[in-house]
Amino acid sequence: MEIKEENKRFALYDEETEVGEITWQEASGDVLVVDHTFVDSHYRGQQLAQKLLAAVVEKARREKKKIMPVCSFAVKEFKEKPAYDDVLAR
């Protein structure tokens, strides 16, 4: 599995097949609005959506940005993971 950043999204590939993605929009004030997460049903249960979100969190930390979770998956993960509090837009 490989995660690649492509035009305001991270895509997850199993060899050459795209099997998941997480997308964001950039808001004013250096905020990444995470608006969509998807993993193909054949690949669910492997923590792949969590890995995609972790990639966005690392990007935000590296670029000194904040994240506003909007999609239901990202909202749930931010509530359950206090380790992400440093990048949560308030």
Side-chain angles (χ1 to χ4, degrees):
M1 296 286 178
E2 181 180 11
I3 296 175
K4 296 181 184 178
E5 184 172 354
E6 307 170 340
N7 192 29
K8 297 184 184 176
R9 77 182 192 132
F10 281 107
L12 177 66
Y13 291 91
D14 183 1
E15 296 187 18
E16 294 183 20
T17 303
E18 184 176 319
V19 298
E21 73 173 353
I22 190 165
T23 64
W24 64 86
Q25 302 300 315
E26 293 188 29
S28 60
D30 293 329
V31 175
L32 304 176
V33 180
V34 175
D35 56 8
H36 171 73
T37 307
F38 172 78
V39 173
D40 182 281
S41 61
H42 294 99
Y43 291 84
R44 292 188 185 153
Q46 300 178 48
Q47 303 291 305
L48 299 177
Q50 288 85 348
K51 290 178 183 178
L52 287 165
L53 182 59
V56 179
V57 169
E58 288 307 311
K59 173 184 176 62
R61 287 177 176 150
R62 190 173 55 252
E63 297 178 4
K64 301 199 181 334
K65 294 183 178 184
K66 298 290 184 181
I67 295 173
M68 179 184 297
V70 174
C71 78
S72 58
F73 172 77
V75 168
K76 177 184 77 70
E77 287 295 297
F78 268 84
K79 285 181 181 174
E80 294 177 359
K81 291 194 168 108
Y84 290 169
D85 285 352
D86 64 313
V87 294
L88 180 60
R90 301 185 191 269

